[in-house]
């Protein structure tokens, strides 16, 4: 598995979980946020797909609620 595959699969897992639970916000912002979190943890040396996705999910859930104006 390439690094790109690992990141893509981690992203897909995180996106799927948040989508199923109805927690996804604006798609572009959400995608960028999740990808940034996964890449940050990847650069720190993490290579386990589920750990990467769970880290991104947890970080996403800690974000303040964004109200639509």
């Amino acid at each position: 598995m390439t690094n790109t595959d690992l990141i893509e699969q981690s992203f897909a897992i995180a996106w799927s979980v948040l989508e199923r639970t109805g927690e996804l916000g604006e798609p572009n912002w959400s995608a960028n946020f999740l990808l940034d979190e996964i890449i940050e943890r990847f650069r720190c040396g993490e290579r386990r797909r589920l750990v990467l996705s769970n880290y991104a999910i947890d970080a996403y859930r800690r974000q303040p609620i964004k109200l639509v104006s």
Side-chain angles (χ1 to χ4, degrees):
M1 174 183 314
T2 67
N3 292 342
T4 302
D5 291 337
L6 176 62
I7 290 169
E8 287 177 356
Q9 290 176 12
S10 298
F11 175 85
I13 292 166
W15 185 272
S16 176
V17 168
L18 293 168
E19 187 174 46
R20 279 194 315 257
T21 59
E23 296 175 80
L24 276 178
E26 194 277 318
N28 287 330
W29 184 89
S30 298
N32 287 327
F33 182 89
L34 292 172
L35 191 56
D36 288 347
E37 293 297 322
I38 289 168
I39 290 172
E40 177 184 331
R41 187 58 43 191
F42 179 84
R43 287 182 177 154
C44 291
E46 183 57 62
R47 297 297 184 266
R48 294 170 291 175
R49 181 178 50 214
L50 290 177
V51 173
L52 290 169
S53 58
N54 284 335
Y55 177 82
I57 292 166
D58 290 343
Y60 187 89
R61 288 176 172 164
R62 286 192 305 268
Q63 293 302 301
I65 295 173
K66 295 183 185 332
L67 299 176
V68 176
S69 54

